[in-house]
Amino acid sequence: MQKITSKQFFTLLLALLCIGQLARGQEKKPLTLADYGQWNSIRNTAISPNGEWMTYSYVPNDGDSKLYVRKIDGDTVSSAVNGKRVSFSDDNLWVAYLTDLPEKEAEKLKKQGKPATSTFELYNLNAKSVQQIENVKTFGFSNASNYVAIHKNAADKKAEHEGSDLIIKDLKGNNTLNIGNVSSFAFNETGSLFAYLVDADGKAGNGLFVVDLNGLRTFPVHAGDYTYSQLAWNEAGDGLAVLFGTKPEGKVQRENTLAWANGLASGMSATPSLKTFSSTNGNGFPENHVISEYSSLSWNDAGSQIFFGIKEQDDEVKKEDELKANVDVWHWKDDEVQSRQIVMAGRDRRATFTSVLNLESGKFVQLQTEDMSFVRTSDKSKWAVASVDKDYRAIRNQPSGYADLYAINTTSGAKQLIAKNVYHDLGVDPMGRYAAYTKDTQVQLYHFDSGKTTNINANSDVDFENLEFDYPVERPVYGIAGWSKDGNWVFMNHKYDIYAFSLNSNEVINLTQGMGNENEIRFRLTRLDPETDTYDTSKPLLMSVYGEWTKQSGYYEVTVGKKPKVLHFIDKMVGRPTKAKDANVIMYTEQTFEEFPDLWVASTDFKKPKKITNANPQQEEYKWGRRVLVDYTDKRGHKLQATLALPADYEEGKKYPMVIYFYEKMSQRHHQYSMPTYDDRPHMSTYASNGYLVLMPDIVYDMGKPGSSALDDVTSAAKAVIELGYADPQRIGLQGHSWGGYESSFILTQTDMFACVVTGAPLTNLISMYNVAYKRSGNLNGPIIEWSQGRMGVSPWNDMELYRSQSPIHHAEKINTPFLILHGTADGAVDWNQGLEYYQTARRLGKEVILLSYPDEPHHLTKEANQKDFQIRMKQYFDHYLMDADAPVWLSNGVSNLDKKRVKPEDMGEGK
């Protein structure tokens, strides 16, 4: 045996100590709530037209954000604290944005009662210099990139007039034009002219003005003692429209005149004469109505029509004539219940009827009436589609949304029935030639000019009905994918593939040649140009791709008649690309459970990809789990999937505690990054970092059995994970919120499989919930429970026993599992009393229940202190029941109201 000398021993000992120190230095930490503040999200992304520059902001959970301006092939060249609203000039020489004050400074001003306004920054990308202007609310570049308009905040916030200072800055020279009391502005399409409205104190100098940007010469187009609004250029940039008017004494509505001018051009010596139209012109204008400033003005592409809104005039009610009582009359004949009317009162006061003026003939056509829910107009044709729903509003035993569709000729006002009793309106094609809708899951195209309707499904034996749609209403199709640029094709989505239907013959092409169905991958057309609304079939078409069972995603391209070609298809979640306006460069994201969705750039064929951002390098310091897919089959025979997050230090064969989080389908989130943030949900990254499994299963529903369906699929998924050897069957907890709160509350009553349950904002009594208002919208909950997410299919009065069978509260006596309820008292979606009902019932029955009630909080917690509080308590709850951690005071004994500000969630020991 070889002997070790004293010197060798100490050398070896020193080496072992160094290795130990290094190991400890490299040891990763478990993620805790205290670490969340340093995590960044990315916002304010933009890419320059030439694809050489980009912007992005790192926005931390705590503290100020930082906007970066970077040359893609270089390094970050500039940054700004709290930058926002980024815009590049079309000539790629400038980038502009607003910045807000640091949080601490803004908070100081707020306490002093002073406004914290934004600063405009104009960054020269070549000179790398910045110009600043304070107290700015908005800005905009001209399309020619010669000028930028900078609109400042009003000096007096309490002033009755809306105008404030505006600066037009010459980007090619040193000229600057300062204009006072501007209320609205717009460059024309070519960037050669600039229009603005003035709204001054006492209406002094009010009017519409145009600036010729070639020399900054200003022309008054119309001026007077009026209020001006709704400035609108036409597509060609040579026509301008505006409203001006006054409110007569004793009347509610302003009486406006529509004014427009054509022939505006750079270099003009005077503005063309202004033409006007008002309610006094007659020509079919309805009596006692006005042209309303509550609706914007818009031109058709040809510049021959202007669309606007009209509104009935009312007399003002004098204070002394108002009803002194405060009463809401709920009448059974009301189209909308009073609670809905109250919520929508502001919108209804501003509601208008869509109308059009034909400029050459002078003919006015009111397109929309009280019988219609909406009118859809076309910029490219003379046709509009009206949705007439009056006859369906009073029907209470079917879902809302049914309507009769009518075609309206906007030049003559002639109206023609398209179809009655339509539930799925698919819109109008981009060229304004067809109206699309479904009847009995068959796609119908109505041709405006001929009045002929074609069932395009008749040309194919493929069924486009979305069989996965499980609401108890008429099923939709998978949808129209788009229309071809040449006007010859309409594209239809199938579950996986895309089909092209000829508009001129019976020809049908499987654009993706069956690859989707064969491989169970979903193809969907994707447009890179936001200004186009069609697909050019003479060029390769870009398609997003998603693997149904692999969760891979990415992009393919397809040329009509050829097999789809893969561009970028990987085992990650690939985000939608944004293309540089004038270059074949795209910006997109990639993410997995472990990989934050940083920004990447590549060519439009996804070649030469380059990662640009690294928003969260600190993640390397923390333990982070990974996800695997779990296949399972429920008792009803449905083949389903779940995504399972494994603990950071996962050891094969070891059984772990598990939290199950669910809603409806969840496996599509398999590659979604688990962002630590302040909210009221369990964060999979945190739980996996601290030794938990986190399972997110898919749920599919049988009509009338939402609770039973959830029970089947959640327990089936849990059993599959147990059988795979991952989970400790004695240490499994549930968490669900809102609809997931309903499901977790129901499961709680049906099985003792779980050690504890956390349920947030839960529906617990479908019968009482049916008859109360969804406060956020004002609608009653009945239709939601019967025909929407509730999927009951009948009312309680048709099948009371079915409602009892699916209501958690009616099975509360069977609860043997401790559970925790979260609910905000100001919940506008699920009434707080639903949580209280469940708490009271369980408490009366002697069950182990705790209700965490957060005063004045809505459906999801919004106050950061409360979000943090619940994150702490939820994890303590799971830690206690699933990991045998000691219980804090609030969990073991509760906290009295007098001590609620004294006892913190971390406090251990005897409660008071």
Side-chain angles (χ1 to χ4, degrees):
M1 179 181 293
Q2 186 177 358
K3 292 184 178 180
I4 300 176
T5 66
S6 169
K7 184 177 180 181
Q8 289 173 322
F9 173 78
F10 284 113
T11 302
L12 178 61
L13 181 61
L14 182 62
L16 289 172
L17 286 171
C18 289
I19 292 170
Q21 281 293 111
L22 184 62
R24 279 192 292 275
Q26 293 177 337
E27 188 175 334
K28 296 190 176 184
K29 303 174 286 188
L31 183 63
T32 68
L33 183 67
D35 303 310
Y36 285 16
Q38 59 190 314
W39 250 261
N40 290 299
S41 58
I42 292 180
R43 298 176 198 165
N44 298 308
T45 59
I47 189 166
S48 63
N50 63 5
E52 294 181 7
W53 295 84
M54 64 186 298
T55 67
Y56 50 88
S57 288
Y58 288 166
V59 184
N61 288 323
D62 291 337
D64 296 305
S65 67
K66 184 170 282 191
L67 173 71
Y68 295 94
V69 180
R70 171 175 176 160
K71 190 159 190 178
I72 291 173
D73 290 332
D75 297 321
T76 300
V77 295
S78 179
S79 65
V81 173
N82 294 331
K84 63 182 183 181
R85 301 187 200 172
V86 181
S87 179
F88 283 98
S89 63
D90 279 354
D91 63 2
N92 305 288
L93 297 178
W94 307 90
V95 63
Y97 47 87
L98 299 181
T99 63
D100 288 336
L101 289 171
E103 283 184 6
K104 290 181 180 178
E105 292 182 32
E107 189 62 31
K108 189 183 297 184
L109 288 175
K110 184 178 178 181
K111 289 178 180 178
Q112 297 171 358
K114 298 178 181 178
T117 59
S118 300
T119 295
F120 170 78
E121 294 196 2
L122 181 64
Y123 185 81
N124 187 314
L125 294 170
N126 287 338
K128 299 181 182 178
S129 59
V130 179
Q131 301 174 51
Q132 294 182 329
I133 298 175
E134 295 182 346
N135 195 30
V136 172
K137 63 179 177 179
T138 190
F139 67 91
F141 285 110
S142 65
N143 281 351
S145 301
N146 293 330
Y147 293 89
V148 62
I150 305 142
H151 199 185
K152 304 191 74 173
N153 291 297
D156 182 2
K157 293 287 185 182
K158 297 180 181 179
E160 293 185 3
H161 65 282
E162 296 182 1
S164 59
D165 291 345
L166 181 137
I167 301 166
I168 300 179
K169 183 175 178 56
D170 182 358
L171 298 175
K172 304 296 184 184
N174 295 317
N175 295 324
T176 297
L177 180 63
N178 294 286
I179 310 169
N181 294 310
V182 174
S183 60
S184 179
F185 69 91
F187 291 99
N188 70 345
E189 185 66 22
T190 61
S192 59
L193 300 173
F194 177 83
Y196 65 93
L197 304 179
V198 168
D199 188 46
D201 186 19
K203 295 185 173 62
N206 281 14
L208 166 64
F209 302 84
V210 170
V211 179
D212 184 348
L213 295 173
N214 183 18
L216 295 181
R217 185 180 177 187
T218 301
F219 296 89
V221 180
H222 189 273
D225 192 18
Y226 304 102
T227 299
Y228 292 77
S229 60
Q230 301 299 352
L231 180 69
W233 285 101
N234 66 0
E235 184 72 16
D238 61 0
L240 187 61
V242 73
L243 296 180
F244 66 88
T246 59
K247 187 170 79 69
E249 186 176 351
K251 297 293 183 180
V252 173
Q253 305 299 332
R254 185 191 305 169
E255 295 188 350
N256 291 297
T257 295
L258 169 66
W260 71 98
N262 291 106
L264 297 165
S266 180
M268 59 188 174
S269 57
T271 57
S273 59
L274 200 67
K275 299 178 181 178
T276 62
F277 175 83
S278 71
S279 59
T280 59
N281 287 63
N283 195 13
F285 199 94
E287 187 178 350
N288 199 39
H289 280 65
V290 299
I291 300 173
S292 177
E293 70 277 9
Y294 292 141
S295 181
S296 61
L297 303 180
S298 63
W299 299 70
N300 67 345
D301 285 356
S304 60
Q305 294 178 316
I306 297 177
F307 296 91
F308 52 92
I310 66 171
K311 190 170 184 62
E312 188 175 9
Q313 181 63 281
D314 282 318
D315 293 327
E316 286 184 340
V317 179
K318 296 179 181 179
K319 192 74 174 176
E320 58 269 23
D321 294 333
E322 287 184 351
L323 179 68
K324 300 301 184 287
N326 183 10
V327 58
D328 300 316
V329 180
W330 294 63
H331 198 283
W332 64 274
K333 290 183 179 180
D334 288 344
D335 286 341
E336 290 185 330
V337 292
Q338 285 289 317
S339 53
R340 175 65 174 172
Q341 294 181 47
I342 291 167
V343 170
M344 302 306 295
R347 183 205 67 172
D348 292 343
R349 288 190 190 97
R350 302 169 67 90
T352 61
F353 296 132
T354 303
S355 304
V356 63
L357 181 67
N358 293 277
L359 302 185
E360 290 185 13
S361 66
K363 183 171 179 60
F364 163 85
V365 178
Q366 180 180 343
L367 302 173
Q368 185 179 9
T369 67
E370 288 184 351
D371 296 347
M372 305 171 186
S373 56
F374 66 88
V375 168
R376 184 179 286 111
T377 60
S378 170
D379 295 332
K380 295 182 174 62
S381 81
K382 63 183 180 181
W383 297 103
V385 173
S387 177
V388 180
D389 65 347
K390 181 183 178 181
D391 292 341
Y392 303 95
R393 293 172 190 168
I395 300 175
R396 308 288 181 236
N397 61 354
Q398 73 175 26
S400 62
Y402 284 95
D404 302 332
L405 300 184
Y406 284 83
I408 304 177
N409 185 319
T410 60
T411 59
S412 68
K415 189 167 71 171
Q416 173 67 43
L417 177 68
I418 297 174
K420 296 183 76 66
N421 202 35
V422 173
Y423 190 63
H424 294 294
D425 175 5
L426 301 181
V428 176
D429 76 295
M431 295 182 183
R433 298 187 302 163
Y434 296 92
Y437 61 97
T438 65
K439 288 288 285 184
D440 301 321
T441 72
Q442 301 290 295
V443 178
Q444 313 287 333
L445 295 185
Y446 174 86
H447 188 253
F448 290 116
D449 288 342
S450 68
K452 179 182 177 183
T453 299
T454 302
N455 177 1
I456 64 171
N457 287 73
N459 298 331
S460 170
D461 58 0
V462 178
D463 185 1
F464 291 89
E465 180 183 359
N466 184 349
L467 297 174
E468 295 175 303
F469 186 83
D470 56 14
Y471 287 10
V473 296
E474 180 184 322
R475 277 199 181 118
V477 294
Y478 282 99
I480 289 179
W483 305 75
S484 66
K485 182 179 178 181
D486 60 14
N488 294 329
W489 301 91
V490 58
F491 302 109
M492 285 288 299
N493 289 326
H494 191 248
K495 181 176 181 179
Y496 295 120
D497 289 300
I498 303 170
Y499 287 76
F501 287 78
S502 172
L503 296 172
N504 305 313
S505 69
N506 294 330
E507 185 180 5
V508 180
I509 299 171
N510 187 331
L511 192 64
T512 46
Q513 300 198 3
M515 276 185 64
N517 194 58
E518 181 182 346
N519 298 290
E520 293 185 283
I521 56 176
R522 185 188 67 211
F523 288 100
R524 292 296 181 260
L525 289 172
T526 302
R527 275 193 298 268
L528 290 179
D529 185 351
E531 295 183 4
T532 64
D533 49 16
T534 58
Y535 293 93
D536 188 349
T537 53
S538 68
K539 299 176 182 178
L541 303 176
L542 184 67
M543 301 179 295
S544 65
V545 189
Y546 170 75
E548 179 77 14
W549 301 105
T550 65
K551 312 307 177 190
Q552 292 177 298
S553 70
Y555 289 85
Y556 276 56
E557 70 174 16
V558 64
T559 300
V560 177
K562 295 184 179 180
K563 222 171 175 57
K565 170 183 156 186
V566 64
L567 299 178
H568 189 59
F569 189 49
I570 58 176
D571 199 23
K572 296 181 180 181
M573 183 185 288
V574 181
R576 185 183 180 92
T578 299
K579 182 184 175 296
K581 183 179 178 182
D582 303 321
N584 291 324
V585 179
I586 54 173
M587 173 177 64
Y588 61 99
T589 61
E590 293 179 0
Q591 63 178 303
T592 67
F593 178 73
E594 304 158 68
E595 181 183 331
F596 176 83
D598 278 300
L599 292 174
W600 292 70
V601 293
S603 56
T604 48
D605 56 4
F606 286 87
K607 291 181 179 177
K608 298 181 180 178
K610 178 180 179 180
K611 185 179 177 182
I612 298 297
T613 61
N614 185 20
N616 293 293
Q618 77 284 349
Q619 182 179 318
E620 290 297 319
E621 302 171 20
Y622 295 89
K623 294 180 179 181
W624 210 271
R626 60 186 175 89
R627 273 184 175 151
V628 295
L629 288 167
V630 175
D631 296 316
Y632 64 101
T633 303
D634 67 15
K635 291 179 180 178
R636 294 166 291 158
H638 299 115
K639 179 185 174 185
L640 300 169
Q641 268 191 327
T643 178
L644 177 66
L646 302 180
D649 299 322
Y650 174 72
E651 298 174 21
E652 190 169 349
K654 182 178 177 180
K655 292 177 170 33
Y656 291 85
M658 180 167 72
V659 172
I660 307 178
Y661 176 68
F662 48 92
Y663 191 79
E664 293 189 350
K665 283 201 169 181
M666 303 291 277
S667 66
Q668 72 275 11
R669 302 189 191 183
H670 178 65
H671 283 312
Q672 186 178 60
Y673 181 73
S674 181
M675 176 76 175
T677 188
Y678 306 131
D679 59 19
D680 50 22
R681 300 169 180 86
H683 296 126
M684 293 67 195
S685 51
T686 302
Y687 282 81
S689 183
N690 286 272
Y692 283 92
L693 299 164
V694 185
L695 181 69
M696 296 167 57
D698 286 341
I699 301 172
V700 294
Y701 300 90
D702 291 340
M703 188 176 75
K705 300 284 187 179
S708 301
S709 300
L711 172 68
D712 181 9
D713 291 346
V714 171
T715 55
S716 295
K719 289 173 183 176
V721 175
I722 292 169
E723 289 170 5
L724 289 169
Y726 290 113
D728 181 343
Q730 304 304 314
R731 298 174 183 272
I732 302 176
L734 302 183
Q735 206 280 345
H737 193 96
S738 188
W739 183 244
Y742 159 72
E743 294 167 321
S744 58
S745 296
F746 182 85
I747 294 169
L748 171 68
T749 68
Q750 302 296 307
T751 179
D752 298 335
M753 182 178 182
F754 305 108
C756 67
V757 172
V758 178
T759 181
L763 294 76
T764 61
N765 185 343
L766 297 185
I767 298 168
S768 62
M769 186 70 178
Y770 187 98
N771 293 305
V772 298
Y774 193 98
K775 293 176 184 175
R776 198 160 58 200
S777 68
N779 288 316
L780 298 182
N781 282 314
I784 299 175
I785 293 175
E786 190 170 347
W787 297 302
S788 185
Q789 190 171 42
R791 300 173 173 87
M792 292 302 289
V794 295
S795 76
W797 325 122
N798 297 120
D799 197 337
M800 188 66 73
E801 187 51 43
L802 180 64
Y803 271 75
R804 289 194 185 98
S805 76
Q806 298 300 302
S807 293
I809 203 166
H810 289 287
H811 303 284
E813 74 281 357
K814 295 184 286 187
I815 296 174
N816 296 313
T817 303
F819 67 106
L820 175 70
I821 304 170
L822 155 71
H823 222 139
T825 63
D827 194 326
V830 179
D831 195 284
W832 178 80
N833 284 292
Q834 288 286 301
L836 181 63
E837 277 191 55
Y838 207 32
Y839 166 79
Q840 162 59 10
T841 301
R843 181 173 181 266
R844 173 64 179 81
L845 293 170
K847 308 303 181 181
E848 294 182 42
V849 59
I850 299 172
L851 169 61
L852 297 180
S853 178
Y854 290 87
D856 303 318
E857 283 281 22
H859 191 53
H860 287 285
L861 301 179
T862 57
K863 300 179 179 70
E864 186 175 303
N866 291 339
Q867 292 169 335
K868 290 179 177 179
D869 181 86
F870 180 68
Q871 287 288 334
I872 293 168
R873 295 181 196 269
M874 176 170 56
K875 187 159 187 306
Q876 287 175 329
Y877 198 80
F878 283 129
D879 285 350
H880 175 64
Y881 286 105
L882 305 184
M883 286 196 167
D884 297 325
D886 290 339
V889 169
W890 71 268
L891 197 161
S892 60
N893 294 336
V895 179
S896 72
N897 187 264
L898 294 179
D899 283 337
K900 64 181 285 187
K901 291 295 185 179
R902 186 189 306 273
V903 180
K904 298 178 180 178
E906 300 90 347
D907 288 350
M908 311 295 287
E910 293 298 321
K912 296 186 179 180

